[in-house]
Amino acid sequence: VRFERRTRATPKRANLPPNSEYSARFNIRNILSTATKTIDIKDDYLFTVNKKTKNIEMLYILAPYLDTSLDIKVRLLGSEKELPATVSDIDTFLRQYDNRAAIRGSTPNKNNQRETHDRFIIIDNDSVFQIGASIKDLGKAQSSIIAVDDTNVRKQYVSQFEEWWNVAKPYA
């Protein structure tokens, strides 16, 4: 599939009222569509639905951005405790996008506490969007998406993501 980057209006801020899952996904897709090199997502609950099942919808949202001529790389960083169990669709996704997609789980710190509760998306190691709820639940209850405008703060997000990614447990 040949993909040409189009300029889209990416929201600086989006307030998502309850029951606005479609609007939430639309906003997420607009953000993802601005990527030309990388998409990094930090969300501890990315694959959690409940204790018995795992959510793989994010893979369906991401696939069109990997099926392009842009050679975009995607890294999904969740919680080690919430890494998906072996699921056929996840395994197939990772095999198909083998050197372009990866999933890892961050480990708790030495006090067995999470390092963050925040969720965020980093596009091309530059644009950062804070997400007020887990992407899988975005729009179910009131939430928001906020672009980080401050250059130094964006750099801190990118640096922190890299630090967590480098010590995170790979999905296997």
Side-chain angles (χ1 to χ4, degrees):
V1 175
R2 184 96 180 117
F3 181 79
E4 300 296 328
R5 182 173 181 223
R6 289 188 206 148
T7 305
R8 284 194 185 181
T10 303
K12 290 287 185 185
R13 288 172 183 69
N15 179 46
L16 301 165
N19 302 312
S20 61
E21 293 99 330
Y22 179 80
S23 294
R25 291 177 188 171
F26 180 82
N27 279 282
I28 293 296
R29 286 184 175 102
N30 269 351
I31 290 167
L32 298 176
S33 74
T34 65
T36 59
K37 296 178 277 188
T38 60
I39 298 170
D40 293 329
I41 299 175
K42 171 69 172 96
D43 183 344
D44 282 350
Y45 303 99
L46 200 57
F47 293 103
T48 306
V49 172
N50 61 43
K51 301 244 187 264
K52 295 180 181 173
T53 62
K54 299 295 180 184
N55 180 15
I56 58 170
E57 188 159 334
M58 192 66 215
L59 304 182
Y60 301 133
I61 291 171
L62 286 166
Y65 305 100
L66 291 165
D67 284 334
T68 70
S69 60
L70 292 178
D71 197 32
I72 294 170
K73 308 257 189 286
V74 172
R75 298 185 296 177
L76 304 176
L77 183 59
S79 167
E80 178 184 53
K81 287 193 269 184
E82 301 298 337
L83 273 176
T86 301
V87 176
S88 175
D89 283 347
I90 294 173
D91 292 338
T92 303
F93 179 86
L94 291 173
R95 269 195 312 276
Q96 180 170 336
Y97 301 113
D98 149 40
N99 61 345
R100 295 177 49 212
I103 299 171
R104 291 189 183 178
S106 59
T107 56
N109 66 18
K110 61 185 175 186
N111 297 324
N112 205 28
Q113 296 176 335
R114 278 193 305 214
E115 299 265 337
T116 184
H117 189 69
D118 289 355
R119 296 98 164 155
F120 53 91
I121 298 173
I122 301 171
I123 302 294
D124 296 337
N125 288 321
D126 181 50
S127 300
V128 176
F129 298 85
Q130 296 173 323
I131 311 294
S134 180
I135 294 171
K136 68 176 185 59
D137 295 325
L138 199 58
K140 287 182 182 176
Q142 188 283 325
S143 193
S144 60
I145 301 171
I146 300 171
V148 177
D149 292 328
D150 186 286
T151 302
N152 290 326
V153 174
R154 288 195 319 259
K155 287 179 182 177
Q156 289 171 346
Y157 270 95
V158 171
S159 174
Q160 187 63 66
F161 183 91
E162 290 300 329
E163 186 178 312
W164 287 330
W165 183 261
N166 289 331
V167 298
K169 177 183 176 183
Y171 169 79

